[in-house]
Amino acid sequence: MTAPFPTHKQEEWRYADLDALRPVWQQFAEPLTLTVGPAESFEKIWLPGDDEVLVRRIQIALEKGAKARIFALNTAAEYGRTEIEVSLAEGADFELFGANIGTGVSTNEIVTNVKHIGVGGCSRQTIRSVLNGKAVGSYLGKVEVARGAQQTDAEQSVKAMLLDRGATANCKPELEIFADDVKCAHGATVGELDAMQLFYAESRGLDPASARALLLEGFIMGLWDNVENAAQHDAISTAAKTALRRVV
C-alpha cells in the first residue's frame, strides 16, 4: 500500500514542490531502509542525475560503533529532495555533507532527522546552498537526543548564498534534547558574495562570471574533501563545478 501523499501542513514537507512530486510519488513513497552492523562503515555519494525531478529517501539504523557518511549534491532542475532519517546506537557516528545548487525556479531541499538513542553517539551535518533566479533551497534538520543518550555530540552547520534577490533560502536546524550530558550546536547563515572579493578576483584578470564561479567553488568544494574513493571525489567535484557554472 502506497504511503499517503504529503501535504504542506507536515513540517518536513513545508517547502516541497508537491506539484512536481505528485506524478512520481509512487516511485519514491517508500524510503530505502538500511542497517549498518556493529563497528561496520558505510559511505554513499549521491550525484545529480538527468531527471528534472529527483527524490532520494533513506532510513539508516546505525548499530553499536557503526559509522555512516553521506555526500549529497542536489541540483535537480525542477525539484530535488534528499531526505535522510538515521538512528544512532551507542558510539555510532554519522556525517552528512550536502549541497543544494538551484537555478531558475527550481526547488531543492535537504531534510534530515537524526535520532541519538545510545550513549556517546556523534553526528555532523554540513549543508551549503547556492541559489539564483527564483530558486528555493531548503534545509530542515532535526536532531533528537533520547533520555538515555548521554555524551551525545551533535552539530549542524548551514550556510546559503543568494545570487539574486528573487532566490529564497530556508534554514531550520532543530534540537530536541532529553539528556543532560550532551554537546549539541547548530548555526545557520544566509548571505551574498562579497563585493570586495569579487573586485579582487576581477582585478587579477578574471571575467565577472569566472570570478563568481571561483568564489562559489571555495564555498562548496570543501564538502567533498573526505570522499575516500578518488574517482568518486572527482565525479562529485566535477558535477558541483558544472552546476555552479550554470548559476553564475
Side-chain angles (χ1 to χ4, degrees):
M1 182 177 179
T2 303
F5 190 74
T7 73
H8 284 143
K9 292 181 179 180
Q10 297 167 266
E11 184 63 24
E12 66 271 25
W13 295 95
R14 182 176 178 182
Y15 302 109
D17 185 343
L18 298 182
D19 290 336
L21 179 65
R22 190 178 299 276
V24 299
W25 175 245
Q26 288 191 343
Q27 180 181 352
F28 300 113
E30 298 300 328
L32 174 69
T33 59
L34 174 70
T35 298
V36 183
E40 292 181 352
S41 296
F42 169 80
E43 181 170 292
K44 185 69 174 178
I45 288 83
W46 277 334
L47 296 170
D50 296 327
D51 296 334
E52 291 191 347
V53 178
L54 181 59
V55 178
R56 293 183 170 110
R57 308 179 71 202
I58 190 171
Q59 294 177 340
I60 307 173
L62 299 180
E63 297 187 359
K64 183 177 180 179
K67 296 182 179 180
R69 182 185 289 164
I70 294 178
F71 300 89
L73 178 57
N74 188 10
T75 67
E78 183 175 356
Y79 177 53
R81 180 181 177 92
T82 297
E83 179 184 323
I84 302 169
E85 180 179 306
V86 56
S87 62
L88 287 77
E90 180 182 347
D93 187 285
F94 172 70
E95 291 182 293
L96 169 64
F97 300 91
N100 293 315
I101 301 178
T103 186
V105 294
S106 68
T107 297
N108 298 91
E109 57 185 356
I110 297 173
V111 181
T112 65
N113 189 354
V114 177
K115 301 179 179 181
H116 287 266
I117 59 177
V119 174
C122 181
S123 64
R124 294 284 183 272
Q125 300 181 70
T126 306
I127 310 298
R128 301 290 181 261
S129 294
V130 176
L131 310 163
N132 78 359
K134 295 183 178 180
V136 177
S138 302
Y139 168 74
L140 287 79
K142 185 175 184 180
V143 174
E144 302 178 25
V145 182
R147 200 169 301 279
Q150 304 293 355
Q151 289 91 54
T152 286
D153 186 350
E155 182 178 306
Q156 298 163 286
S157 171
V158 189
K159 296 181 181 180
M161 193 77 72
L162 303 183
L163 305 183
D164 292 302
R165 292 186 179 274
T168 301
N170 302 302
C171 302
K172 189 173 183 271
E174 180 181 355
L175 299 173
E176 187 176 274
I177 303 171
F178 293 99
D180 55 13
D181 181 12
V182 302
K183 185 169 77 170
C184 296
H186 60 68
T189 61
V190 178
E192 301 175 345
L193 285 173
D194 186 278
M196 289 303 296
Q197 290 182 342
L198 280 173
F199 174 79
Y200 178 80
E202 291 176 23
S203 71
R204 293 290 181 174
L206 292 177
D207 61 84
S210 296
R212 290 194 296 271
L214 181 65
L215 294 184
L216 292 173
E217 287 178 14
F219 181 66
I220 291 288
M221 302 309 291
L223 292 169
W224 326 129
D225 285 349
N226 293 324
V227 177
E228 294 182 357
N229 182 283
Q232 291 182 325
H233 176 272
D234 291 346
I236 198 168
S237 297
T238 299
K241 289 179 181 180
T242 300
L244 291 173
R245 291 286 174 177
R246 289 198 297 265
V247 303
V248 296

